[in-house]
PDB file of all heavy atoms in Angstrom:
ATOM      1  N   GLY I 284     -29.225   0.181  -2.723  1.00 98.00           N
ATOM      2  CA  GLY I 284     -28.449   0.751  -3.801  1.00 98.00           C
ATOM      3  C   GLY I 284     -26.983   0.395  -3.717  1.00 98.00           C
ATOM      4  O   GLY I 284     -26.541  -0.337  -2.829  1.00 98.00           O
ATOM      5  N   SER I 285     -26.211   0.943  -4.650  1.00 98.00           N
ATOM      6  CA  SER I 285     -24.791   0.635  -4.748  1.00 98.00           C
ATOM      7  C   SER I 285     -23.966   1.903  -4.871  1.00 98.00           C
ATOM      8  O   SER I 285     -24.435   2.926  -5.386  1.00 98.00           O
ATOM      9  CB  SER I 285     -24.515  -0.253  -5.963  1.00 98.00           C
ATOM     10  OG  SER I 285     -25.167  -1.496  -5.861  1.00 98.00           O
ATOM     11  N   LEU I 286     -22.748   1.830  -4.387  1.00 98.00           N
ATOM     12  CA  LEU I 286     -21.752   2.870  -4.564  1.00 98.00           C
ATOM     13  C   LEU I 286     -20.407   2.217  -4.821  1.00 98.00           C
ATOM     14  O   LEU I 286     -20.152   1.112  -4.345  1.00 98.00           O
ATOM     15  CB  LEU I 286     -21.636   3.769  -3.331  1.00 98.00           C
ATOM     16  CG  LEU I 286     -22.666   4.872  -3.110  1.00 98.00           C
ATOM     17  CD1 LEU I 286     -22.407   5.553  -1.774  1.00 98.00           C
ATOM     18  CD2 LEU I 286     -22.629   5.885  -4.240  1.00 98.00           C
ATOM     19  N   ARG I 287     -19.562   2.916  -5.553  1.00 97.00           N
ATOM     20  CA  ARG I 287     -18.202   2.466  -5.786  1.00 97.00           C
ATOM     21  C   ARG I 287     -17.247   3.540  -5.287  1.00 97.00           C
ATOM     22  O   ARG I 287     -17.158   4.619  -5.875  1.00 97.00           O
ATOM     23  CB  ARG I 287     -17.950   2.180  -7.264  1.00 97.00           C
ATOM     24  CG  ARG I 287     -16.560   1.594  -7.558  1.00 97.00           C
ATOM     25  CD  ARG I 287     -16.405   1.271  -9.038  1.00 97.00           C
ATOM     26  NE  ARG I 287     -15.086   0.783  -9.380  1.00 97.00           N
ATOM     27  CZ  ARG I 287     -14.705  -0.488  -9.327  1.00 97.00           C
ATOM     28  NH1 ARG I 287     -15.564  -1.417  -8.926  1.00 97.00           N
ATOM     29  NH2 ARG I 287     -13.472  -0.843  -9.669  1.00 97.00           N
ATOM     30  N   LEU I 288     -16.557   3.248  -4.202  1.00 97.00           N
ATOM     31  CA  LEU I 288     -15.548   4.142  -3.678  1.00 97.00           C
ATOM     32  C   LEU I 288     -14.208   3.865  -4.349  1.00 97.00           C
ATOM     33  O   LEU I 288     -13.936   2.754  -4.789  1.00 97.00           O
ATOM     34  CB  LEU I 288     -15.398   3.974  -2.166  1.00 97.00           C
ATOM     35  CG  LEU I 288     -16.655   4.133  -1.313  1.00 97.00           C
ATOM     36  CD1 LEU I 288     -16.295   4.015   0.161  1.00 97.00           C
ATOM     37  CD2 LEU I 288     -17.347   5.453  -1.595  1.00 97.00           C
ATOM     38  N   SER I 289     -13.376   4.888  -4.402  1.00 96.00           N
ATOM     39  CA  SER I 289     -12.050   4.724  -4.955  1.00 96.00           C
ATOM     40  C   SER I 289     -11.058   5.535  -4.140  1.00 96.00           C
ATOM     41  O   SER I 289     -11.360   6.643  -3.703  1.00 96.00           O
ATOM     42  CB  SER I 289     -12.002   5.165  -6.425  1.00 96.00           C
ATOM     43  OG  SER I 289     -10.715   4.941  -6.986  1.00 96.00           O
ATOM     44  N   CYS I 290      -9.900   4.974  -3.927  1.00 95.00           N
ATOM     45  CA  CYS I 290      -8.807   5.644  -3.241  1.00 95.00           C
ATOM     46  C   CYS I 290      -7.643   5.777  -4.206  1.00 95.00           C
ATOM     47  O   CYS I 290      -7.168   4.768  -4.750  1.00 95.00           O
ATOM     48  CB  CYS I 290      -8.386   4.858  -2.003  1.00 95.00           C
ATOM     49  SG  CYS I 290      -6.937   5.523  -1.153  1.00 95.00           S
ATOM     50  N   ALA I 291      -7.205   7.000  -4.422  1.00 95.00           N
ATOM     51  CA  ALA I 291      -6.063   7.264  -5.284  1.00 95.00           C
ATOM     52  C   ALA I 291      -4.824   7.475  -4.421  1.00 95.00           C
ATOM     53  O   ALA I 291      -4.805   8.356  -3.563  1.00 95.00           O
ATOM     54  CB  ALA I 291      -6.316   8.477  -6.162  1.00 95.00           C
ATOM     55  N   ALA I 292      -3.813   6.671  -4.647  1.00 93.00           N
ATOM     56  CA  ALA I 292      -2.567   6.745  -3.894  1.00 93.00           C
ATOM     57  C   ALA I 292      -1.478   7.370  -4.747  1.00 93.00           C
ATOM     58  O   ALA I 292      -1.375   7.106  -5.947  1.00 93.00           O
ATOM     59  CB  ALA I 292      -2.128   5.360  -3.426  1.00 93.00           C
ATOM     60  N   SER I 293      -0.670   8.201  -4.122  1.00 94.00           N
ATOM     61  CA  SER I 293       0.446   8.825  -4.811  1.00 94.00           C
ATOM     62  C   SER I 293       1.632   8.908  -3.860  1.00 94.00           C
ATOM     63  O   SER I 293       1.500   8.729  -2.653  1.00 94.00           O
ATOM     64  CB  SER I 293       0.077  10.214  -5.338  1.00 94.00           C
ATOM     65  OG  SER I 293      -0.302  11.079  -4.278  1.00 94.00           O
ATOM     66  N   GLY I 294       2.779   9.202  -4.409  1.00 92.00           N
ATOM     67  CA  GLY I 294       3.998   9.226  -3.634  1.00 92.00           C
ATOM     68  C   GLY I 294       4.774   7.939  -3.824  1.00 92.00           C
ATOM     69  O   GLY I 294       4.826   7.389  -4.924  1.00 92.00           O
ATOM     70  N   ASN I 295       5.342   7.436  -2.744  1.00 89.00           N
ATOM     71  CA  ASN I 295       6.157   6.230  -2.809  1.00 89.00           C
ATOM     72  C   ASN I 295       5.261   4.996  -2.706  1.00 89.00           C
ATOM     73  O   ASN I 295       5.292   4.259  -1.714  1.00 89.00           O
ATOM     74  CB  ASN I 295       7.211   6.236  -1.706  1.00 89.00           C
ATOM     75  CG  ASN I 295       8.262   5.157  -1.907  1.00 89.00           C
ATOM     76  OD1 ASN I 295       8.314   4.508  -2.948  1.00 89.00           O
ATOM     77  ND2 ASN I 295       9.103   4.967  -0.899  1.00 89.00           N
ATOM     78  N   VAL I 296       4.467   4.766  -3.744  1.00 88.00           N
ATOM     79  CA  VAL I 296       3.480   3.689  -3.712  1.00 88.00           C
ATOM     80  C   VAL I 296       4.124   2.310  -3.732  1.00 88.00           C
ATOM     81  O   VAL I 296       3.480   1.327  -3.348  1.00 88.00           O
ATOM     82  CB  VAL I 296       2.477   3.820  -4.869  1.00 88.00           C
ATOM     83  CG1 VAL I 296       1.700   5.117  -4.758  1.00 88.00           C
ATOM     84  CG2 VAL I 296       3.189   3.732  -6.214  1.00 88.00           C
ATOM     85  N   PHE I 297       5.368   2.212  -4.147  1.00 86.00           N
ATOM     86  CA  PHE I 297       6.014   0.907  -4.214  1.00 86.00           C
ATOM     87  C   PHE I 297       6.381   0.357  -2.843  1.00 86.00           C
ATOM     88  O   PHE I 297       6.767  -0.808  -2.740  1.00 86.00           O
ATOM     89  CB  PHE I 297       7.249   0.983  -5.115  1.00 86.00           C
ATOM     90  CG  PHE I 297       6.927   1.316  -6.538  1.00 86.00           C
ATOM     91  CD1 PHE I 297       7.158   2.585  -7.036  1.00 86.00           C
ATOM     92  CD2 PHE I 297       6.373   0.367  -7.378  1.00 86.00           C
ATOM     93  CE1 PHE I 297       6.848   2.909  -8.344  1.00 86.00           C
ATOM     94  CE2 PHE I 297       6.059   0.669  -8.692  1.00 86.00           C
ATOM     95  CZ  PHE I 297       6.300   1.946  -9.178  1.00 86.00           C
ATOM     96  N   THR I 298       6.268   1.161  -1.812  1.00 87.00           N
ATOM     97  CA  THR I 298       6.501   0.690  -0.453  1.00 87.00           C
ATOM     98  C   THR I 298       5.239   0.153   0.211  1.00 87.00           C
ATOM     99  O   THR I 298       5.306  -0.348   1.327  1.00 87.00           O
ATOM    100  CB  THR I 298       7.071   1.813   0.421  1.00 87.00           C
ATOM    101  OG1 THR I 298       6.105   2.863   0.557  1.00 87.00           O
ATOM    102  CG2 THR I 298       8.341   2.383  -0.204  1.00 87.00           C
ATOM    103  N   ILE I 299       4.093   0.255  -0.461  1.00 88.00           N
ATOM    104  CA  ILE I 299       2.816  -0.131   0.131  1.00 88.00           C
ATOM    105  C   ILE I 299       2.704  -1.646   0.224  1.00 88.00           C
ATOM    106  O   ILE I 299       2.975  -2.358  -0.735  1.00 88.00           O
ATOM    107  CB  ILE I 299       1.641   0.446  -0.675  1.00 88.00           C
ATOM    108  CG1 ILE I 299       1.638   1.972  -0.579  1.00 88.00           C
ATOM    109  CG2 ILE I 299       0.319  -0.130  -0.183  1.00 88.00           C
ATOM    110  CD1 ILE I 299       0.581   2.631  -1.441  1.00 88.00           C
ATOM    111  N   ASP I 300       2.274  -2.116   1.384  1.00 90.00           N
ATOM    112  CA  ASP I 300       2.020  -3.537   1.595  1.00 90.00           C
ATOM    113  C   ASP I 300       0.504  -3.783   1.582  1.00 90.00           C
ATOM    114  O   ASP I 300      -0.073  -4.055   0.539  1.00 90.00           O
ATOM    115  CB  ASP I 300       2.650  -3.997   2.912  1.00 90.00           C
ATOM    116  CG  ASP I 300       2.552  -5.496   3.107  1.00 90.00           C
ATOM    117  OD1 ASP I 300       2.080  -6.202   2.202  1.00 90.00           O
ATOM    118  OD2 ASP I 300       2.950  -5.973   4.189  1.00 90.00           O
ATOM    119  N   THR I 301      -0.124  -3.640   2.727  1.00 93.00           N
ATOM    120  CA  THR I 301      -1.563  -3.841   2.828  1.00 93.00           C
ATOM    121  C   THR I 301      -2.308  -2.533   2.546  1.00 93.00           C
ATOM    122  O   THR I 301      -1.877  -1.457   2.957  1.00 93.00           O
ATOM    123  CB  THR I 301      -1.930  -4.365   4.221  1.00 93.00           C
ATOM    124  OG1 THR I 301      -1.287  -5.626   4.431  1.00 93.00           O
ATOM    125  CG2 THR I 301      -3.435  -4.547   4.360  1.00 93.00           C
ATOM    126  N   MET I 302      -3.439  -2.640   1.860  1.00 94.00           N
ATOM    127  CA  MET I 302      -4.325  -1.521   1.623  1.00 94.00           C
ATOM    128  C   MET I 302      -5.723  -1.913   2.095  1.00 94.00           C
ATOM    129  O   MET I 302      -6.058  -3.100   2.143  1.00 94.00           O
ATOM    130  CB  MET I 302      -4.368  -1.136   0.145  1.00 94.00           C
ATOM    131  CG  MET I 302      -3.007  -0.904  -0.479  1.00 94.00           C
ATOM    132  SD  MET I 302      -3.085  -0.423  -2.228  1.00 94.00           S
ATOM    133  CE  MET I 302      -3.745   1.244  -2.077  1.00 94.00           C
ATOM    134  N   GLY I 303      -6.538  -0.928   2.433  1.00 96.00           N
ATOM    135  CA  GLY I 303      -7.865  -1.271   2.886  1.00 96.00           C
ATOM    136  C   GLY I 303      -8.761  -0.080   3.109  1.00 96.00           C
ATOM    137  O   GLY I 303      -8.398   1.072   2.847  1.00 96.00           O
ATOM    138  N   TRP I 304      -9.954  -0.387   3.578  1.00 98.00           N
ATOM    139  CA  TRP I 304     -10.965   0.600   3.895  1.00 98.00           C
ATOM    140  C   TRP I 304     -11.459   0.398   5.318  1.00 98.00           C
ATOM    141  O   TRP I 304     -11.701  -0.739   5.752  1.00 98.00           O
ATOM    142  CB  TRP I 304     -12.165   0.502   2.945  1.00 98.00           C
ATOM    143  CG  TRP I 304     -11.879   0.967   1.556  1.00 98.00           C
ATOM    144  CD1 TRP I 304     -11.451   0.230   0.502  1.00 98.00           C
ATOM    145  CD2 TRP I 304     -12.029   2.308   1.063  1.00 98.00           C
ATOM    146  NE1 TRP I 304     -11.312   1.008  -0.619  1.00 98.00           N
ATOM    147  CE2 TRP I 304     -11.660   2.293  -0.302  1.00 98.00           C
ATOM    148  CE3 TRP I 304     -12.433   3.509   1.644  1.00 98.00           C
ATOM    149  CZ2 TRP I 304     -11.693   3.433  -1.097  1.00 98.00           C
ATOM    150  CZ3 TRP I 304     -12.461   4.650   0.860  1.00 98.00           C
ATOM    151  CH2 TRP I 304     -12.091   4.599  -0.492  1.00 98.00           C
ATOM    152  N   TYR I 305     -11.583   1.484   6.045  1.00 98.00           N
ATOM    153  CA  TYR I 305     -12.187   1.519   7.365  1.00 98.00           C
ATOM    154  C   TYR I 305     -13.337   2.510   7.337  1.00 98.00           C
ATOM    155  O   TYR I 305     -13.459   3.311   6.404  1.00 98.00           O
ATOM    156  CB  TYR I 305     -11.162   1.924   8.427  1.00 98.00           C
ATOM    157  CG  TYR I 305     -10.126   0.863   8.735  1.00 98.00           C
ATOM    158  CD1 TYR I 305      -9.158   0.517   7.800  1.00 98.00           C
ATOM    159  CD2 TYR I 305     -10.109   0.213   9.965  1.00 98.00           C
ATOM    160  CE1 TYR I 305      -8.206  -0.453   8.073  1.00 98.00           C
ATOM    161  CE2 TYR I 305      -9.156  -0.750  10.254  1.00 98.00           C
ATOM    162  CZ  TYR I 305      -8.214  -1.075   9.305  1.00 98.00           C
ATOM    163  OH  TYR I 305      -7.265  -2.032   9.592  1.00 98.00           O
ATOM    164  N   ARG I 306     -14.186   2.468   8.352  1.00 98.00           N
ATOM    165  CA  ARG I 306     -15.287   3.410   8.422  1.00 98.00           C
ATOM    166  C   ARG I 306     -15.559   3.789   9.866  1.00 98.00           C
ATOM    167  O   ARG I 306     -15.229   3.047  10.793  1.00 98.00           O
ATOM    168  CB  ARG I 306     -16.551   2.838   7.778  1.00 98.00           C
ATOM    169  CG  ARG I 306     -17.172   1.663   8.531  1.00 98.00           C
ATOM    170  CD  ARG I 306     -18.311   1.059   7.726  1.00 98.00           C
ATOM    171  NE  ARG I 306     -18.974  -0.029   8.443  1.00 98.00           N
ATOM    172  CZ  ARG I 306     -19.890  -0.824   7.914  1.00 98.00           C
ATOM    173  NH1 ARG I 306     -20.273  -0.658   6.647  1.00 98.00           N
ATOM    174  NH2 ARG I 306     -20.439  -1.789   8.640  1.00 98.00           N
ATOM    175  N   GLN I 307     -16.167   4.949  10.038  1.00 98.00           N
ATOM    176  CA  GLN I 307     -16.521   5.426  11.363  1.00 98.00           C
ATOM    177  C   GLN I 307     -17.886   6.099  11.301  1.00 98.00           C
ATOM    178  O   GLN I 307     -18.063   7.096  10.605  1.00 98.00           O
ATOM    179  CB  GLN I 307     -15.479   6.395  11.905  1.00 98.00           C
ATOM    180  CG  GLN I 307     -15.716   6.801  13.344  1.00 98.00           C
ATOM    181  CD  GLN I 307     -14.524   7.513  13.951  1.00 98.00           C
ATOM    182  OE1 GLN I 307     -13.631   7.968  13.243  1.00 98.00           O
ATOM    183  NE2 GLN I 307     -14.495   7.607  15.266  1.00 98.00           N
ATOM    184  N   ALA I 308     -18.831   5.533  12.022  1.00 97.00           N
ATOM    185  CA  ALA I 308     -20.165   6.092  12.133  1.00 97.00           C
ATOM    186  C   ALA I 308     -20.227   7.032  13.331  1.00 97.00           C
ATOM    187  O   ALA I 308     -19.392   6.947  14.238  1.00 97.00           O
ATOM    188  CB  ALA I 308     -21.200   4.977  12.272  1.00 97.00           C
ATOM    189  N   PRO I 309     -21.211   7.929  13.362  1.00 91.00           N
ATOM    190  CA  PRO I 309     -21.328   8.836  14.505  1.00 91.00           C
ATOM    191  C   PRO I 309     -21.410   8.074  15.821  1.00 91.00           C
ATOM    192  O   PRO I 309     -22.125   7.083  15.941  1.00 91.00           O
ATOM    193  CB  PRO I 309     -22.620   9.598  14.219  1.00 91.00           C
ATOM    194  CG  PRO I 309     -22.757   9.553  12.730  1.00 91.00           C
ATOM    195  CD  PRO I 309     -22.221   8.216  12.327  1.00 91.00           C
ATOM    196  N   GLU I 310     -20.666   8.539  16.797  1.00 92.00           N
ATOM    197  CA  GLU I 310     -20.655   7.978  18.146  1.00 92.00           C
ATOM    198  C   GLU I 310     -20.174   6.531  18.184  1.00 92.00           C
ATOM    199  O   GLU I 310     -20.469   5.798  19.133  1.00 92.00           O
ATOM    200  CB  GLU I 310     -22.037   8.096  18.792  1.00 92.00           C
ATOM    201  CG  GLU I 310     -22.542   9.525  18.890  1.00 92.00           C
ATOM    202  CD  GLU I 310     -23.895   9.630  19.552  1.00 92.00           C
ATOM    203  OE1 GLU I 310     -24.504   8.588  19.859  1.00 92.00           O
ATOM    204  OE2 GLU I 310     -24.349  10.754  19.783  1.00 92.00           O
ATOM    205  N   LYS I 311     -19.434   6.118  17.177  1.00 96.00           N
ATOM    206  CA  LYS I 311     -18.858   4.781  17.155  1.00 96.00           C
ATOM    207  C   LYS I 311     -17.368   4.864  16.839  1.00 96.00           C
ATOM    208  O   LYS I 311     -16.890   5.849  16.292  1.00 96.00           O
ATOM    209  CB  LYS I 311     -19.561   3.888  16.130  1.00 96.00           C
ATOM    210  CG  LYS I 311     -21.010   3.568  16.453  1.00 96.00           C
ATOM    211  CD  LYS I 311     -21.590   2.600  15.449  1.00 96.00           C
ATOM    212  CE  LYS I 311     -23.020   2.239  15.786  1.00 96.00           C
ATOM    213  NZ  LYS I 311     -23.594   1.285  14.798  1.00 96.00           N
ATOM    214  N   GLN I 312     -16.656   3.808  17.200  1.00 97.00           N
ATOM    215  CA  GLN I 312     -15.235   3.740  16.898  1.00 97.00           C
ATOM    216  C   GLN I 312     -15.008   3.367  15.438  1.00 97.00           C
ATOM    217  O   GLN I 312     -15.856   2.746  14.795  1.00 97.00           O
ATOM    218  CB  GLN I 312     -14.546   2.725  17.812  1.00 97.00           C
ATOM    219  CG  GLN I 312     -14.512   3.116  19.279  1.00 97.00           C
ATOM    220  CD  GLN I 312     -13.737   2.116  20.115  1.00 97.00           C
ATOM    221  OE1 GLN I 312     -13.731   0.924  19.834  1.00 97.00           O
ATOM    222  NE2 GLN I 312     -13.089   2.604  21.155  1.00 97.00           N
ATOM    223  N   ARG I 313     -13.849   3.754  14.934  1.00 97.00           N
ATOM    224  CA  ARG I 313     -13.485   3.360  13.583  1.00 97.00           C
ATOM    225  C   ARG I 313     -13.332   1.843  13.513  1.00 97.00           C
ATOM    226  O   ARG I 313     -12.742   1.224  14.404  1.00 97.00           O
ATOM    227  CB  ARG I 313     -12.196   4.054  13.163  1.00 97.00           C
ATOM    228  CG  ARG I 313     -11.827   3.837  11.703  1.00 97.00           C
ATOM    229  CD  ARG I 313     -10.620   4.673  11.302  1.00 97.00           C
ATOM    230  NE  ARG I 313     -10.888   6.105  11.432  1.00 97.00           N
ATOM    231  CZ  ARG I 313     -10.047   7.056  11.047  1.00 97.00           C
ATOM    232  NH1 ARG I 313      -8.876   6.726  10.504  1.00 97.00           N
ATOM    233  NH2 ARG I 313     -10.365   8.329  11.217  1.00 97.00           N
ATOM    234  N   GLU I 314     -13.856   1.240  12.452  1.00 98.00           N
ATOM    235  CA  GLU I 314     -13.838  -0.199  12.319  1.00 98.00           C
ATOM    236  C   GLU I 314     -13.366  -0.611  10.930  1.00 98.00           C
ATOM    237  O   GLU I 314     -13.563   0.110   9.951  1.00 98.00           O
ATOM    238  CB  GLU I 314     -15.228  -0.794  12.585  1.00 98.00           C
ATOM    239  CG  GLU I 314     -16.292  -0.342  11.606  1.00 98.00           C
ATOM    240  CD  GLU I 314     -17.680  -0.841  11.966  1.00 98.00           C
ATOM    241  OE1 GLU I 314     -17.901  -1.207  13.139  1.00 98.00           O
ATOM    242  OE2 GLU I 314     -18.555  -0.866  11.070  1.00 98.00           O
ATOM    243  N   LEU I 315     -12.765  -1.773  10.875  1.00 98.00           N
ATOM    244  CA  LEU I 315     -12.306  -2.320   9.604  1.00 98.00           C
ATOM    245  C   LEU I 315     -13.491  -2.698   8.733  1.00 98.00           C
ATOM    246  O   LEU I 315     -14.458  -3.292   9.208  1.00 98.00           O
ATOM    247  CB  LEU I 315     -11.412  -3.538   9.843  1.00 98.00           C
ATOM    248  CG  LEU I 315     -10.836  -4.248   8.622  1.00 98.00           C
ATOM    249  CD1 LEU I 315      -9.448  -4.790   8.939  1.00 98.00           C
ATOM    250  CD2 LEU I 315     -11.738  -5.392   8.176  1.00 98.00           C
ATOM    251  N   VAL I 316     -13.405  -2.358   7.452  1.00 98.00           N
ATOM    252  CA  VAL I 316     -14.377  -2.801   6.461  1.00 98.00           C
ATOM    253  C   VAL I 316     -13.792  -3.941   5.646  1.00 98.00           C
ATOM    254  O   VAL I 316     -14.354  -5.034   5.584  1.00 98.00           O
ATOM    255  CB  VAL I 316     -14.817  -1.659   5.538  1.00 98.00           C
ATOM    256  CG1 VAL I 316     -15.793  -2.168   4.482  1.00 98.00           C
ATOM    257  CG2 VAL I 316     -15.431  -0.526   6.347  1.00 98.00           C
ATOM    258  N   ALA I 317     -12.656  -3.694   5.010  1.00 98.00           N
ATOM    259  CA  ALA I 317     -12.008  -4.701   4.189  1.00 98.00           C
ATOM    260  C   ALA I 317     -10.561  -4.315   3.968  1.00 98.00           C
ATOM    261  O   ALA I 317     -10.224  -3.134   3.900  1.00 98.00           O
ATOM    262  CB  ALA I 317     -12.714  -4.860   2.838  1.00 98.00           C
ATOM    263  N   THR I 318      -9.699  -5.310   3.861  1.00 97.00           N
ATOM    264  CA  THR I 318      -8.296  -5.090   3.527  1.00 97.00           C
ATOM    265  C   THR I 318      -7.880  -6.069   2.443  1.00 97.00           C
ATOM    266  O   THR I 318      -8.501  -7.123   2.259  1.00 97.00           O
ATOM    267  CB  THR I 318      -7.361  -5.256   4.735  1.00 97.00           C
ATOM    268  OG1 THR I 318      -7.482  -6.576   5.263  1.00 97.00           O
ATOM    269  CG2 THR I 318      -7.681  -4.230   5.815  1.00 97.00           C
ATOM    270  N   ILE I 319      -6.822  -5.713   1.745  1.00 95.00           N
ATOM    271  CA  ILE I 319      -6.231  -6.593   0.748  1.00 95.00           C
ATOM    272  C   ILE I 319      -4.719  -6.466   0.865  1.00 95.00           C
ATOM    273  O   ILE I 319      -4.164  -5.368   0.887  1.00 95.00           O
ATOM    274  CB  ILE I 319      -6.741  -6.282  -0.675  1.00 95.00           C
ATOM    275  CG1 ILE I 319      -6.156  -7.271  -1.679  1.00 95.00           C
ATOM    276  CG2 ILE I 319      -6.455  -4.836  -1.065  1.00 95.00           C
ATOM    277  CD1 ILE I 319      -6.866  -7.226  -3.036  1.00 95.00           C
ATOM    278  N   SER I 320      -4.043  -7.597   0.956  1.00 92.00           N
ATOM    279  CA  SER I 320      -2.606  -7.620   1.130  1.00 92.00           C
ATOM    280  C   SER I 320      -1.905  -7.609  -0.220  1.00 92.00           C
ATOM    281  O   SER I 320      -2.528  -7.713  -1.280  1.00 92.00           O
ATOM    282  CB  SER I 320      -2.182  -8.846   1.943  1.00 92.00           C
ATOM    283  OG  SER I 320      -2.494 -10.037   1.250  1.00 92.00           O
ATOM    284  N   SER I 321      -0.583  -7.505  -0.174  1.00 87.00           N
ATOM    285  CA  SER I 321       0.194  -7.439  -1.402  1.00 87.00           C
ATOM    286  C   SER I 321       0.110  -8.724  -2.218  1.00 87.00           C
ATOM    287  O   SER I 321       0.311  -8.691  -3.435  1.00 87.00           O
ATOM    288  CB  SER I 321       1.659  -7.127  -1.088  1.00 87.00           C
ATOM    289  OG  SER I 321       2.225  -8.110  -0.241  1.00 87.00           O
ATOM    290  N   ASP I 322      -0.187  -9.837  -1.566  1.00 87.00           N
ATOM    291  CA  ASP I 322      -0.332 -11.100  -2.284  1.00 87.00           C
ATOM    292  C   ASP I 322      -1.771 -11.380  -2.691  1.00 87.00           C
ATOM    293  O   ASP I 322      -2.075 -12.475  -3.176  1.00 87.00           O
ATOM    294  CB  ASP I 322       0.220 -12.266  -1.465  1.00 87.00           C
ATOM    295  CG  ASP I 322      -0.483 -12.456  -0.140  1.00 87.00           C
ATOM    296  OD1 ASP I 322      -1.429 -11.706   0.156  1.00 87.00           O
ATOM    297  OD2 ASP I 322      -0.082 -13.362   0.614  1.00 87.00           O
ATOM    298  N   GLY I 323      -2.665 -10.410  -2.487  1.00 90.00           N
ATOM    299  CA  GLY I 323      -4.035 -10.536  -2.933  1.00 90.00           C
ATOM    300  C   GLY I 323      -5.007 -11.104  -1.928  1.00 90.00           C
ATOM    301  O   GLY I 323      -6.198 -11.224  -2.244  1.00 90.00           O
ATOM    302  N   HIS I 324      -4.556 -11.459  -0.743  1.00 94.00           N
ATOM    303  CA  HIS I 324      -5.461 -11.966   0.280  1.00 94.00           C
ATOM    304  C   HIS I 324      -6.381 -10.855   0.774  1.00 94.00           C
ATOM    305  O   HIS I 324      -5.931  -9.741   1.046  1.00 94.00           O
ATOM    306  CB  HIS I 324      -4.685 -12.546   1.452  1.00 94.00           C
ATOM    307  CG  HIS I 324      -4.006 -13.853   1.156  1.00 94.00           C
ATOM    308  ND1 HIS I 324      -4.117 -14.496  -0.044  1.00 94.00           N
ATOM    309  CD2 HIS I 324      -3.203 -14.627   1.929  1.00 94.00           C
ATOM    310  CE1 HIS I 324      -3.405 -15.615  -0.017  1.00 94.00           C
ATOM    311  NE2 HIS I 324      -2.846 -15.708   1.175  1.00 94.00           N
ATOM    312  N   THR I 325      -7.660 -11.153   0.889  1.00 96.00           N
ATOM    313  CA  THR I 325      -8.646 -10.186   1.334  1.00 96.00           C
ATOM    314  C   THR I 325      -9.208 -10.569   2.687  1.00 96.00           C
ATOM    315  O   THR I 325      -9.241 -11.745   3.065  1.00 96.00           O
ATOM    316  CB  THR I 325      -9.796 -10.054   0.331  1.00 96.00           C
ATOM    317  OG1 THR I 325     -10.401 -11.337   0.126  1.00 96.00           O
ATOM    318  CG2 THR I 325      -9.282  -9.529  -1.003  1.00 96.00           C
TER     319      THR I 325
END
């Protein structure tokens, strides 16, 4: 199946450079899922 997650940012959003998603499963360390930089690199 599919899901669409969304993150809503507020505050001083114009200072944001890189944005991304991480995840943490039970008994595991937090790990990178995906990032996107200010120039669009993923």
